[in-house]
Amino acid sequence: MKTIGLIGGMSWESSALYYQIINRGIQEKLGGVHSAKSLLYSVDFNEIAILQKEEKWGELGELMIETAQKLEKSGADFIVLCTNTMHKLSDEIEKNVSIPLLHIVDTAAEEIVKHNIKKIGLLGTSFTMEQGFFKDRLLNKHYIQTIIPNEKQRSDIHQIIYNELVKGIISNDSRNIFLEIISDLIDKGAEGIILGCTEIELLVTNEYTEAKLFKTAEIHAKKAIEFSLE
């Protein structure tokens, strides 16, 4: 079994979900009292969130590289970055470690392709929805087109993520906002919806919508299980 190097804390709510999925999955596959071999480096999300807001991606890159290198030196065989937004810095991380980084966009795309979907709705932080690092990789590497919410909807999503979900606050009113946005994206031609922020899947599940949901954190964590057992 390979040792998984998890970069977490962005937020710890979603990191806990990763840890739970990975360890339960290993136990299901191997039986008995097996659990994953893993190293978790959990950052202070307050520091990260401030730098994100100030668009200081250079400093964020240095933090992510330093963290990944610490995991590599501690014995990790590959890196799992437990956040969508910080995959903006995935190229920088990969250039500065000698172990693989399991990319969240590629793992999500693999599942989307299985369903023969060519046009997908994307929900996430404003960084993920508006910048190119997620959408461009989907299109250029996997030939999947992306539809994003309108400006007001993107603002609502971003505020709910940072003011509620990262703090573990689950609100029915906020869920209804997400469900209305999902319905709007489907009306605009989306064949499924990427929950492209690891906290969103704490709020939106198929209990509340018939839309095909691609939960990036869950997909990513399950792929980490497979990779660790190869």
Side-chain angles (χ1 to χ4, degrees), residues 206-223:
N206 280 118
E207 178 183 353
Y208 304 102
T209 176
E210 295 182 358
K212 179 62 182 174
L213 302 178
F214 294 90
K215 306 172 187 177
T216 55
E218 180 180 319
I219 294 168
H220 200 203
K222 288 182 175 178
K223 193 64 179 181

Side-chain angles (χ1 to χ4, degrees), residues 107-124:
T107 59
E110 186 178 321
E111 289 301 311
I112 294 166
V113 168
K114 287 179 183 178
H115 290 81
N116 200 33
I117 288 174
K118 299 296 183 183
K119 188 176 289 186
I120 196 85
L122 174 62
L123 306 181

Side-chain angles (χ1 to χ4, degrees), residues 192-216:
I193 303 293
I194 295 175
L195 304 186
C197 173
T198 46
E199 283 81 16
I200 295 176
E201 52 203 88
L202 302 172
L203 181 69
V204 178
T205 68
N206 280 118
E207 178 183 353
Y208 304 102
T209 176
E210 295 182 358
K212 179 62 182 174
L213 302 178
F214 294 90
K215 306 172 187 177
T216 55

Side-chain angles (χ1 to χ4, degrees), residues 6-195:
L6 300 158
I7 302 179
M10 299 171 281
S11 68
W12 73 262
E13 293 281 349
S14 60
S15 302
L17 180 64
Y18 269 86
Y19 191 75
Q20 183 181 70
I21 291 171
I22 288 170
N23 281 287
R24 282 183 173 168
I26 290 290
Q27 187 176 46
E28 288 172 4
K29 287 183 176 293
L30 300 183
V33 292
H34 281 285
S35 56
K37 291 182 179 179
S38 64
L39 299 166
L40 170 62
Y41 192 108
S42 188
V43 301
D44 177 5
F45 188 51
N46 186 70
E47 179 182 2
I48 301 296
I50 290 171
L51 291 173
Q52 287 177 338
K53 188 175 182 179
E54 295 175 349
E55 298 280 349
K56 293 183 177 178
W57 296 103
E59 291 183 39
L60 286 165
E62 291 174 5
L63 282 171
M64 292 298 100
I65 290 167
E66 180 184 351
T67 302
Q69 289 174 339
K70 286 178 179 178
L71 288 170
E72 181 177 14
K73 289 176 183 176
S74 297
D77 293 305
F78 65 100
I79 300 293
V80 174
L81 183 53
C82 304
T83 162
N84 286 270
T85 298
M86 297 302 282
H87 274 77
K88 176 181 172 69
L89 303 167
S90 61
D91 288 346
E92 287 87 341
I93 296 171
E94 288 180 303
K95 290 173 185 174
N96 287 278
V97 294
S98 59
I99 57 177
L101 182 144
L102 189 64
H103 204 291
I104 200 166
V105 175
D106 296 339
T107 59
E110 186 178 321
E111 289 301 311
I112 294 166
V113 168
K114 287 179 183 178
H115 290 81
N116 200 33
I117 288 174
K118 299 296 183 183
K119 188 176 289 186
I120 196 85
L122 174 62
L123 306 181
T125 66
S126 60
F127 311 112
T128 299
M129 291 185 288
E130 294 170 6
Q131 298 181 19
F133 66 92
F134 201 106
K135 297 181 292 184
D136 291 351
R137 192 176 182 105
L138 276 179
L139 181 61
N140 298 332
K141 188 172 181 179
H142 303 284
Y143 311 105
I144 299 167
Q145 292 183 303
T146 305
I147 303 174
I148 62 172
N150 64 40
E151 185 176 356
K152 171 63 165 58
Q153 292 170 333
R154 296 197 302 271
S155 177
D156 288 343
I157 291 169
H158 189 85
Q159 294 305 315
I160 290 168
I161 290 169
Y162 280 87
N163 295 333
E164 298 178 19
L165 297 183
V166 300
K167 300 176 183 177
I169 298 170
I170 304 299
S171 161
N172 285 329
D173 289 342
S174 294
R175 180 183 289 115
N176 288 334
I177 290 171
F178 270 82
L179 295 177
E180 288 175 9
I181 293 170
I182 288 171
S183 179
D184 187 47
L185 290 173
I186 296 297
D187 288 343
K188 291 177 178 177
E191 302 167 79
I193 303 293
I194 295 175
L195 304 186

